[in-house]
Amino acid sequence: MTIKGRILPTPTLMYGQNASIQPRDGQWNMRGKRLYRPATIQGCAIIIYDRRFGPRQEEHLKRNLFDVANMLGMQGMPQDPPVLRKDGTGTKFTEHLREAAMKWKAVKGNMPNLIVAVLPDIAEDIYTRVKNAGDIKIGVATQCLRASKCGPPKGNEQYYVNVFLKINAKLGGINVIPKPDTVRFLTDRAIPTMIIGADVQHPGPGVMNRPSYAAVVGSVDSDASKYIAASKAQELRQELIQDLGEMIAHVIRKYMQYRKEVEKNPNPAPRRILFYRDGISEGEFEDCKLLEVKQIFRACDIVGIPRPKLTFVVVGKAHHIRFFPPRGGSADRSGNAPAGLVVDREITSPVEYDFYLQSHGGLLGTSRSAHYNVLLDENNFMPDDLQRISFSLCHVYARATRSVSIVPAVYYADNVCARSKLHYDPDGAYGNLSDSATQVTPTAGLDQVDAIRSAYQPAHPNSAQNMYFQ
C-alpha cells in the first residue's frame, strides 16, 4: 500500500569550541572537531593479555592513544603510560588492575582513572573479569581493545576516535549535544526536563532458574547527553519493573546533584519527565500505565520534590511494518527511506497516540523503524514536537557518529541489562550463568532465582557516577 509520510528536519549538533555539524543521511564526520566537554585523564596504565602483542604494536598503541586524545581535546593522556603484561588465565584480575594502577602511582603519586586492557581476539572470560574488577569492585574506568584491531594496520585514527568516544563518556565527559535552539523543550533552564529510559531483559526460552534484569537510565545534564544508570535483578519473566520507584528516585537524586554542583542551577528538580519504556507488548499497556506511572510519581515523593509533568512513551521494534521509498523518491544511499521519516496516519491507531519513526540511516538490507506509543502526555505535546525531540535525541548516542534507531535512553537501558552477568563475582557460585534451558522443578527454580538475585552486585559508586556501560 502507498501511504504519506514526512521527513523531519535534521538537528544541528554541537561539538567543542562551538563547532557545529549538520548530519546527512543519519551520519556525520567529526574530523577536525573536539569533544563537546572532554574529560580529564588523571592517569592511565595498560595491561596486555595477548602474548603476540609485541613492542611494535605496543608503541603504535601508546602513540595513537596520546595523539587522538589530544586531537579530541582530552587532557592528561601520558605519552608513555606504564605497561603490565599478564597471562589471561587464572582469577586474579582485580589484582592485575590494582598492580597496573600502582605502577602509575609509583611514578606520578596519584591513582589513575583509566585502565586500557589489550585482549586476544577470543577472550570473553577475560573481558568479563576485567569489567567486573573495574566497574563493580574497584571503580576505575576500563577500556578493552582487541589486539588484532588496535595494532597496525587496522588501528588507525578513526578506530581510536571511536575508542575515545567510549572513554570520554566513561570518565564523565560529554561527546556531543543537540544545538539548544533545536530542542528548546529539553534545554529550557527555567523548566528543567529529565529524559529517562527503562528496559527489562529476560533469560532465554525454557530457562526457569535465572532472574530477569531491569535497568533505568536517566539524563543528568540540561542537554540530555550525559546519563547514569540503576539496575537490579527481579523475578523471572516479570515484565513490569518491580523496584521502579527506588530506581527512579536514585536517578532523580543524581540529576539534581549534577545540576546543582556542576551546572550551578539553583532550581535542580525536574519539572518535566519524558519517560521512554522498552519491551512492553500491546497487551500490557494498561497495566504498565497503571502501575509504572504510579511508581514514577512515588519516586518524586521519595525524593521530596513536586510531581513533574510526565510524558510516558513505549518504544518498540518488534513489529512487521517496513517502509520503502517510491521509485524515483528520496532514498538514501542504501536504498532505504531517509533518516527522519515519520508516519503517523493511515496505519496508526485511530484512538491511541502513536507514530513510526525511522531515525537512522540504512546500512544493509531494509531498515526497521521504531514504533512509539504515547500512553500518557501531561506535557501536552503537539505530535510534531514529540517526534522532533525523539529524532534529535537519536543523534546524541555517545559512542557513534550516526543516528541510532531508538532514543539513546532506551538503548543505554538495553546495554545495562545486557551487561547483567558482569555484576556477579566471576569466581562465585553464579559467575558463569548460562541462558540455555534447564530442567528443574518450579520450586527449586524459584529458590535459585532468589539466590541469584541476592548475589547481584551494584556498580561501584565511582563507576555509577558516569556512563560505565559504554
Side-chain angles (χ1 to χ4, degrees):
M1 62 183 296
T2 301
I3 59 174
K4 289 184 178 180
R6 293 174 289 119
I7 304 297
L8 299 176
T10 303
T12 302
L13 306 179
M14 299 295 296
Y15 279 93
Q17 301 175 322
N18 287 321
S20 62
I21 195 166
Q22 196 75 29
R24 184 177 179 183
D25 289 337
Q27 58 185 312
W28 60 96
N29 191 327
M30 58 177 291
R31 183 179 295 277
K33 304 288 190 298
R34 292 193 163 203
L35 300 172
Y36 178 75
R37 188 172 296 159
T40 299
I41 298 171
Q42 297 167 0
C44 174
I46 299 172
I47 307 176
I48 298 175
Y49 288 105
D50 192 316
R51 297 174 183 173
R52 296 171 295 179
F53 200 79
R56 186 172 73 92
Q57 289 93 332
E58 181 183 315
E59 182 59 34
H60 178 89
L61 170 66
K62 290 180 178 179
R63 184 175 65 252
N64 278 277
L65 288 173
F66 178 77
D67 290 346
V68 175
N70 282 280
M71 180 181 77
L72 296 177
M74 295 185 71
Q75 301 296 314
M77 188 70 204
Q79 281 187 288
D80 190 23
V83 175
L84 189 66
R85 288 185 174 270
K86 290 290 183 181
D87 190 346
T89 59
T91 61
K92 298 184 178 180
F93 286 79
T94 303
E95 286 79 359
H96 296 173
L97 266 66
R98 289 200 173 103
E99 185 180 344
M102 293 307 295
K103 289 189 75 168
W104 170 269
K105 186 179 181 182
V107 177
K108 299 296 184 179
N110 66 295
M111 293 298 282
N113 61 348
L114 174 64
I115 304 291
V116 176
V118 179
L119 312 184
D121 283 356
I122 302 175
E124 184 179 353
D125 185 56
I126 301 176
Y127 176 84
T128 299
R129 292 175 181 274
V130 168
K131 288 299 178 183
N132 177 266
D135 295 344
I136 311 301
K137 293 178 179 172
I138 300 176
V140 62
T142 56
Q143 181 59 53
C144 294
L145 308 176
R146 282 189 178 181
S148 63
K149 295 285 187 68
C150 65
K154 291 185 178 180
N156 54 22
E157 180 182 288
Q158 184 59 53
Y159 171 84
Y160 280 94
V161 167
N162 291 336
V163 167
F164 273 101
L165 292 179
K166 295 183 180 183
I167 290 175
N168 189 53
K170 291 174 184 178
L171 296 181
I174 296 174
N175 295 342
V176 61
I177 66 167
K179 193 174 181 180
D181 60 9
T182 63
V183 281
R184 294 189 186 278
F185 178 89
L186 300 180
T187 57
D188 186 347
R189 292 178 66 84
I191 311 177
T193 301
M194 185 177 186
I195 307 297
I196 299 178
D199 191 19
V200 176
Q201 193 172 86
H202 306 292
V207 178
M208 301 301 296
N209 59 346
R210 301 284 185 270
S212 296
Y213 297 95
V216 171
V217 176
S219 65
V220 294
D221 67 317
S222 57
D223 298 300
S225 296
K226 177 180 168 64
Y227 292 77
I228 60 100
S231 63
K232 288 191 176 184
Q234 66 177 34
E235 289 180 12
L236 172 66
R237 308 207 187 284
Q238 172 61 256
E239 189 53 65
L240 300 180
I241 301 175
Q242 291 176 310
D243 297 317
L244 184 63
E246 288 76 11
M247 295 165 79
I248 290 184
H250 171 76
V251 298
I252 289 177
R253 289 190 187 102
K254 293 295 184 183
Y255 173 91
M256 294 174 64
Q257 178 185 351
Y258 186 90
R259 288 178 62 84
K260 189 174 182 179
E261 296 177 2
V262 178
E263 298 185 345
K264 310 299 181 185
N265 193 315
N267 302 306
R271 299 271 298 279
R272 301 182 290 208
I273 289 179
L274 186 47
F275 186 91
Y276 290 97
R277 179 69 157 91
D278 190 17
I280 291 288
S281 65
E282 222 171 302
E284 296 167 314
F285 281 1
E286 280 305 313
D287 286 344
C288 184
K289 180 179 177 180
L290 179 66
L291 298 175
E292 294 195 352
V293 168
K294 187 184 296 183
Q295 288 296 309
I296 294 170
F297 289 138
R298 177 172 163 267
C300 300
D301 297 340
I302 292 172
V303 178
I305 62 172
R307 293 185 174 185
K309 291 183 177 180
L310 173 67
T311 297
F312 192 111
V313 186
V314 174
V315 188
K317 292 186 70 178
H319 59 79
H320 301 288
I321 304 294
R322 301 292 184 273
F323 299 108
F324 303 91
R327 289 189 178 182
S330 54
D332 64 15
R333 282 177 290 183
S334 68
N336 283 285
L341 171 70
V342 65
V343 176
D344 56 5
R345 59 187 68 190
E346 296 185 58
I347 60 169
T348 53
S349 170
V351 293
E352 304 292 342
Y353 175 14
D354 68 319
F355 60 90
Y356 292 88
L357 173 62
Q358 195 156 303
S359 53
H360 59 300
L363 284 174
L364 189 66
T366 303
S367 296
R368 180 166 51 179
S369 59
H371 188 199
Y372 293 76
N373 287 271
V374 183
L375 303 191
L376 177 69
D377 183 22
E378 296 180 342
N379 290 294
N380 297 318
F381 277 110
M382 295 295 289
D384 195 56
D385 291 337
L386 181 57
Q387 294 159 7
R388 287 191 182 203
I389 289 170
S390 301
F391 183 48
S392 296
L393 287 172
C394 290
H395 288 76
V396 290
Y397 184 61
R399 56 199 274 188
T401 53
R402 303 179 64 92
S403 57
V404 290
S405 59
I406 51 177
V407 287
V410 167
Y411 218 133
Y412 295 145
D414 185 66
N415 289 350
V416 173
C417 287
R419 293 167 56 92
S420 56
K421 66 179 180 181
L422 306 180
H423 288 256
Y424 294 95
D425 184 348
D427 301 310
Y430 309 113
N432 189 24
L433 295 175
S434 169
D435 258 356
S436 57
T438 51
Q439 297 295 324
V440 294
T441 64
T443 303
L446 290 175
D447 289 345
Q448 190 169 1
V449 167
D450 289 340
I452 296 173
R453 287 178 63 189
S454 301
Y456 189 81
Q457 303 170 332
H460 190 281
N462 292 350
S463 302
Q465 295 279 5
N466 298 314
M467 298 168 68
Y468 69 93
F469 43 85
Q470 292 299 317

PDB file of all heavy atoms in Angstrom, residues 153-166:
ATOM      1  N   PRO A 153      47.821  -2.816  10.891  1.00  0.00           N
ATOM      2  CA  PRO A 153      47.397  -1.562  10.253  1.00  0.00           C
ATOM      3  C   PRO A 153      45.945  -1.164  10.591  1.00  0.00           C
ATOM      4  O   PRO A 153      45.510  -0.094  10.239  1.00  0.00           O
ATOM      5  CB  PRO A 153      47.503  -1.903   8.769  1.00  0.00           C
ATOM      6  CG  PRO A 153      47.127  -3.363   8.711  1.00  0.00           C
ATOM      7  CD  PRO A 153      47.656  -3.977   9.977  1.00  0.00           C
ATOM      8  N   LYS A 154      45.191  -2.044  11.267  1.00  0.00           N
ATOM      9  CA  LYS A 154      43.768  -1.763  11.486  1.00  0.00           C
ATOM     10  C   LYS A 154      43.544  -0.639  12.500  1.00  0.00           C
ATOM     11  O   LYS A 154      42.540   0.067  12.437  1.00  0.00           O
ATOM     12  CB  LYS A 154      43.051  -3.036  11.954  1.00  0.00           C
ATOM     13  CG  LYS A 154      42.937  -4.108  10.879  1.00  0.00           C
ATOM     14  CD  LYS A 154      42.119  -5.288  11.370  1.00  0.00           C
ATOM     15  CE  LYS A 154      41.958  -6.332  10.281  1.00  0.00           C
ATOM     16  NZ  LYS A 154      41.168  -7.505  10.735  1.00  0.00           N
ATOM     17  N   GLY A 155      44.464  -0.488  13.441  1.00  0.00           N
ATOM     18  CA  GLY A 155      44.292   0.523  14.479  1.00  0.00           C
ATOM     19  C   GLY A 155      44.637   1.916  13.974  1.00  0.00           C
ATOM     20  O   GLY A 155      45.621   2.522  14.380  1.00  0.00           O
ATOM     21  N   ASN A 156      43.771   2.455  13.091  1.00  0.00           N
ATOM     22  CA  ASN A 156      44.030   3.768  12.505  1.00  0.00           C
ATOM     23  C   ASN A 156      43.391   4.868  13.344  1.00  0.00           C
ATOM     24  O   ASN A 156      42.797   4.619  14.395  1.00  0.00           O
ATOM     25  CB  ASN A 156      43.526   3.821  11.057  1.00  0.00           C
ATOM     26  CG  ASN A 156      42.057   3.431  10.944  1.00  0.00           C
ATOM     27  OD1 ASN A 156      41.300   3.502  11.922  1.00  0.00           O
ATOM     28  ND2 ASN A 156      41.636   3.016   9.759  1.00  0.00           N
ATOM     29  N   GLU A 157      43.453   6.098  12.855  1.00  0.00           N
ATOM     30  CA  GLU A 157      42.937   7.234  13.613  1.00  0.00           C
ATOM     31  C   GLU A 157      41.438   7.098  13.886  1.00  0.00           C
ATOM     32  O   GLU A 157      40.966   7.369  14.988  1.00  0.00           O
ATOM     33  CB  GLU A 157      43.215   8.532  12.853  1.00  0.00           C
ATOM     34  CG  GLU A 157      42.722   9.787  13.552  1.00  0.00           C
ATOM     35  CD  GLU A 157      42.976  11.029  12.719  1.00  0.00           C
ATOM     36  OE1 GLU A 157      44.142  11.448  12.606  1.00  0.00           O
ATOM     37  OE2 GLU A 157      41.992  11.582  12.168  1.00  0.00           O
ATOM     38  N   GLN A 158      40.668   6.659  12.875  1.00  0.00           N
ATOM     39  CA  GLN A 158      39.224   6.527  13.055  1.00  0.00           C
ATOM     40  C   GLN A 158      38.891   5.504  14.128  1.00  0.00           C
ATOM     41  O   GLN A 158      37.962   5.700  14.930  1.00  0.00           O
ATOM     42  CB  GLN A 158      38.562   6.139  11.732  1.00  0.00           C
ATOM     43  CG  GLN A 158      37.039   6.060  11.804  1.00  0.00           C
ATOM     44  CD  GLN A 158      36.399   7.367  12.234  1.00  0.00           C
ATOM     45  OE1 GLN A 158      36.668   8.411  11.635  1.00  0.00           O
ATOM     46  NE2 GLN A 158      35.587   7.336  13.273  1.00  0.00           N
ATOM     47  N   TYR A 159      39.639   4.422  14.175  1.00  0.00           N
ATOM     48  CA  TYR A 159      39.427   3.410  15.207  1.00  0.00           C
ATOM     49  C   TYR A 159      39.610   4.023  16.590  1.00  0.00           C
ATOM     50  O   TYR A 159      38.772   3.826  17.493  1.00  0.00           O
ATOM     51  CB  TYR A 159      40.408   2.247  15.013  1.00  0.00           C
ATOM     52  CG  TYR A 159      40.406   1.249  16.148  1.00  0.00           C
ATOM     53  CD1 TYR A 159      39.470   0.224  16.207  1.00  0.00           C
ATOM     54  CD2 TYR A 159      41.344   1.337  17.181  1.00  0.00           C
ATOM     55  CE1 TYR A 159      39.462  -0.690  17.252  1.00  0.00           C
ATOM     56  CE2 TYR A 159      41.345   0.432  18.235  1.00  0.00           C
ATOM     57  CZ  TYR A 159      40.402  -0.577  18.264  1.00  0.00           C
ATOM     58  OH  TYR A 159      40.400  -1.469  19.310  1.00  0.00           O
ATOM     59  N   TYR A 160      40.672   4.786  16.765  1.00  0.00           N
ATOM     60  CA  TYR A 160      40.948   5.351  18.089  1.00  0.00           C
ATOM     61  C   TYR A 160      39.992   6.495  18.434  1.00  0.00           C
ATOM     62  O   TYR A 160      39.719   6.733  19.613  1.00  0.00           O
ATOM     63  CB  TYR A 160      42.410   5.788  18.186  1.00  0.00           C
ATOM     64  CG  TYR A 160      43.331   4.611  18.450  1.00  0.00           C
ATOM     65  CD1 TYR A 160      43.963   3.950  17.401  1.00  0.00           C
ATOM     66  CD2 TYR A 160      43.517   4.130  19.731  1.00  0.00           C
ATOM     67  CE1 TYR A 160      44.777   2.851  17.628  1.00  0.00           C
ATOM     68  CE2 TYR A 160      44.327   3.028  19.979  1.00  0.00           C
ATOM     69  CZ  TYR A 160      44.955   2.391  18.931  1.00  0.00           C
ATOM     70  OH  TYR A 160      45.748   1.294  19.172  1.00  0.00           O
ATOM     71  N   VAL A 161      39.481   7.197  17.448  1.00  0.00           N
ATOM     72  CA  VAL A 161      38.436   8.181  17.726  1.00  0.00           C
ATOM     73  C   VAL A 161      37.226   7.477  18.327  1.00  0.00           C
ATOM     74  O   VAL A 161      36.648   7.927  19.329  1.00  0.00           O
ATOM     75  CB  VAL A 161      38.047   8.953  16.443  1.00  0.00           C
ATOM     76  CG1 VAL A 161      36.749   9.737  16.661  1.00  0.00           C
ATOM     77  CG2 VAL A 161      39.163   9.911  16.038  1.00  0.00           C
ATOM     78  N   ASN A 162      36.829   6.353  17.740  1.00  0.00           N
ATOM     79  CA  ASN A 162      35.695   5.595  18.270  1.00  0.00           C
ATOM     80  C   ASN A 162      35.973   5.088  19.685  1.00  0.00           C
ATOM     81  O   ASN A 162      35.073   5.062  20.538  1.00  0.00           O
ATOM     82  CB  ASN A 162      35.365   4.418  17.350  1.00  0.00           C
ATOM     83  CG  ASN A 162      34.803   4.856  16.019  1.00  0.00           C
ATOM     84  OD1 ASN A 162      34.253   5.948  15.904  1.00  0.00           O
ATOM     85  ND2 ASN A 162      34.946   4.021  14.999  1.00  0.00           N
ATOM     86  N   VAL A 163      37.220   4.688  19.940  1.00  0.00           N
ATOM     87  CA  VAL A 163      37.604   4.246  21.283  1.00  0.00           C
ATOM     88  C   VAL A 163      37.438   5.390  22.286  1.00  0.00           C
ATOM     89  O   VAL A 163      36.898   5.214  23.384  1.00  0.00           O
ATOM     90  CB  VAL A 163      39.060   3.724  21.293  1.00  0.00           C
ATOM     91  CG1 VAL A 163      39.580   3.568  22.720  1.00  0.00           C
ATOM     92  CG2 VAL A 163      39.146   2.396  20.546  1.00  0.00           C
ATOM     93  N   PHE A 164      37.875   6.589  21.895  1.00  0.00           N
ATOM     94  CA  PHE A 164      37.812   7.707  22.834  1.00  0.00           C
ATOM     95  C   PHE A 164      36.396   8.254  23.006  1.00  0.00           C
ATOM     96  O   PHE A 164      36.123   8.913  24.014  1.00  0.00           O
ATOM     97  CB  PHE A 164      38.783   8.813  22.422  1.00  0.00           C
ATOM     98  CG  PHE A 164      40.165   8.601  22.977  1.00  0.00           C
ATOM     99  CD1 PHE A 164      41.169   8.078  22.175  1.00  0.00           C
ATOM    100  CD2 PHE A 164      40.444   8.877  24.304  1.00  0.00           C
ATOM    101  CE1 PHE A 164      42.435   7.855  22.691  1.00  0.00           C
ATOM    102  CE2 PHE A 164      41.697   8.666  24.829  1.00  0.00           C
ATOM    103  CZ  PHE A 164      42.704   8.144  24.024  1.00  0.00           C
ATOM    104  N   LEU A 165      35.500   7.988  22.080  1.00  0.00           N
ATOM    105  CA  LEU A 165      34.098   8.328  22.321  1.00  0.00           C
ATOM    106  C   LEU A 165      33.583   7.548  23.539  1.00  0.00           C
ATOM    107  O   LEU A 165      32.827   8.072  24.370  1.00  0.00           O
ATOM    108  CB  LEU A 165      33.241   8.012  21.094  1.00  0.00           C
ATOM    109  CG  LEU A 165      33.465   8.867  19.848  1.00  0.00           C
ATOM    110  CD1 LEU A 165      32.547   8.399  18.721  1.00  0.00           C
ATOM    111  CD2 LEU A 165      33.239  10.343  20.131  1.00  0.00           C
ATOM    112  N   LYS A 166      34.005   6.300  23.664  1.00  0.00           N
ATOM    113  CA  LYS A 166      33.625   5.494  24.819  1.00  0.00           C
ATOM    114  C   LYS A 166      34.347   5.965  26.075  1.00  0.00           C
ATOM    115  O   LYS A 166      33.738   6.122  27.145  1.00  0.00           O
ATOM    116  CB  LYS A 166      33.945   4.011  24.565  1.00  0.00           C
ATOM    117  CG  LYS A 166      33.161   3.359  23.441  1.00  0.00           C
ATOM    118  CD  LYS A 166      33.541   1.889  23.364  1.00  0.00           C
ATOM    119  CE  LYS A 166      32.795   1.164  22.253  1.00  0.00           C
ATOM    120  NZ  LYS A 166      33.131  -0.276  22.233  1.00  0.00           N
TER     121      LYS A 166
END
